[in-house]
Amino acid sequence: MTHCVDSAFVDRVDWAVKIDLPSLEARYEILRSCVNELCRVGVVNGRRQVLEDGQKEGADTADGVGSKTSNNGDGNGNSDMNVQGYKEAVQRAQEHNVPKTKTSTTASGVIATPETMLLECAETAKGLSGRGLRKLPFQSHAFHLRSVHEEENVDLLEFIGALLNGIKSKQKGAI
């Protein structure tokens, strides 16, 4: 970045610190904090399915038996911890046998969880700055989700899928 700044300005700077781009863990945590904030304010529906008896997360049952909605927050399904931290995401990916190089949400036999999907987003976002990552969830909501009525909020997995599309668009220069 210093090569883009006028050399006369650089000469007057007393102390210059080079800050590298965020690591995988930092990218994940930046995106996670943004997603959790959108869940907290009700833009994204952060309710999660609590699994019973080996049922896949997000699997629907015909009669609703065998799964229940987790509601650890304000009574609307919103919780301070909708998406777990990086270490939990890596552990969850390992539990579900997600390949280390790809946490694909569409690969057959892979269970799509918010953590594994957000981990894929963080891996895909390599090369983006922390500032750019902070903007992406809002841009993704605006540009990559179907239009919804004001009173509706977006499903967490659907939103993270839109976030992945937003990251890919950002890397192509479309956002």
Side-chain angles (χ1 to χ4, degrees):
M1 178 90 164
T2 55
H3 64 279
C4 298
V5 180
D6 181 36
S7 62
F9 177 77
V10 173
D11 287 341
R12 288 178 178 83
V13 173
D14 292 328
W15 190 34
V17 177
K18 182 180 183 321
I19 299 174
D20 288 330
L21 293 173
S23 65
L24 175 62
E25 182 174 357
R27 291 189 306 269
Y28 179 90
E29 291 298 335
I30 289 168
L31 294 173
R32 182 180 75 88
S33 69
C34 293
V35 170
N36 283 344
E37 178 64 14
L38 290 173
C39 291
R40 187 189 69 77
V41 298
V43 173
V44 175
N45 180 354
R47 283 183 259 182
R48 299 173 65 107
Q49 294 296 325
V50 177
L51 309 181
E52 297 179 6
D53 298 327
Q55 181 182 13
K56 288 186 178 183
E57 183 163 348
D60 295 324
T61 58
D63 57 3
V65 175
S67 68
K68 56 187 174 188
T69 302
S70 172
N71 193 355
N72 302 340
D74 61 7
N76 295 319
N78 297 318
S79 163
D80 291 338
M81 294 299 290
N82 292 297
V83 180
Q84 299 299 309
Y86 176 76
K87 290 177 182 170
E88 292 85 358
V90 171
Q91 181 180 7
R92 186 168 272 216
Q94 290 171 347
E95 288 170 1
H96 294 297
N97 297 320
V98 177
K100 185 172 175 93
T101 57
K102 185 72 172 163
T103 57
S104 177
T105 57
T106 58
S108 63
V110 173
I111 299 172
T113 66
E115 289 79 15
T116 58
M117 290 178 68
L118 198 61
L119 193 56
E120 180 178 358
C121 289
E123 290 171 349
T124 305
K126 186 175 183 176
L128 299 179
S129 70
R131 184 171 183 257
L133 289 170
R134 281 259 176 228
K135 292 180 185 181
L136 272 170
F138 309 104
Q139 294 170 334
S140 298
H141 188 276
F143 299 125
H144 295 283
L145 286 173
R146 60 176 171 44
S147 61
V148 294
H149 301 290
E150 280 185 30
E151 61 275 358
E152 291 182 18
N153 53 17
V154 180
D155 176 69
L156 181 59
L157 293 177
E158 180 182 359
F159 176 75
I160 296 174
L163 179 59
L164 181 60
N165 291 335
I167 291 167
K168 291 176 181 177
S169 294
K170 178 77 173 178
Q171 289 180 326
K172 291 179 185 175
I175 292 183

